[in-house]
Amino acid sequence: MSSRLASNTWQSQGLHRAGCGRLEVEGHVGLGPGVSSEQGNPAWGLEVTILERQVFDFLGYQWAPILANFVHIVVVILGLFGTIQYRPRYIVVYAVWAAVWVTWNIFIICFYLEVGGLARDSELLTFNLSQHHSWWQEHGPGCLHEGTSSAGLRALHSRALVSGAGCALEPSFVEALHSGLQILLALLGFICSCYVVSVLTEEEDSCLRK
């Protein structure tokens, strides 16, 4: 009888140690009362906006942003997995990438606003593989375009759209706004990730002391 009681006690303690972190964190991690860690992390919003941006980068054959967006999507999924499964290391990876993502988007803003000697008409973002530019540069909201003949191109590409006057919003500003939104979301994700990691670490330490 005593051995059975000891066995049940040991099992209950083991279950408590294995699950105490998860049970306690569920009530604390988040941006507000009653909000769980996966609900409080803004990575869901990041995922939606980056998919929209990836589509337009594909339309403009912007290979450098396409590659960066793909890596970002993978890291966001990794961060979500770490948040839902309470894996601090995965969340730290997301937090580090968020800082890199902010730097990349600052570069994109400088590129399209031609800051620091950068020229948005260069082929830097296409790895010099093509002469394509941002999709927004040829399909800006409210822009009036006029066709111009392009020497050396076949009939399929015999006419090129050139941004004209009357744009409701300059194409370079559209790209800058996209990057600005990504910076804000990345900063929010970085702050929330640091908070979640700190809470998870505290809960793990408290479990180890029990």
Side-chain angles (χ1 to χ4, degrees), residues 88-186:
R89 292 182 181 179
Y90 294 164
I91 304 175
V92 170
V93 171
Y94 169 79
V96 172
W97 172 254
V100 177
W101 187 243
V102 168
T103 304
W104 166 256
N105 281 279
I106 291 175
F107 165 75
I108 293 296
I109 292 175
C110 294
F111 178 82
Y112 282 105
L113 297 183
E114 298 185 329
V115 177
L118 296 171
R120 60 175 172 265
D121 293 330
S122 67
E123 301 173 5
L124 183 61
L125 298 184
T126 60
F127 296 133
N128 295 323
L129 297 176
S130 65
Q131 297 181 350
H132 291 90
H133 300 290
S134 170
W135 185 85
W136 295 104
Q137 188 169 344
E138 297 180 350
H139 305 83
C143 287
L144 300 176
H145 303 287
E146 58 181 12
T148 59
S149 60
S150 302
L153 298 180
R154 296 184 179 274
L156 181 62
H157 301 288
S158 60
R159 299 180 68 82
L161 290 175
V162 179
S163 298
C167 293
L169 186 63
E170 288 294 329
S172 58
F173 291 159
V174 175
E175 291 286 358
L177 288 175
H178 272 87
S179 295
L181 176 62
Q182 292 299 317
I183 290 174
L184 291 177
L185 291 174

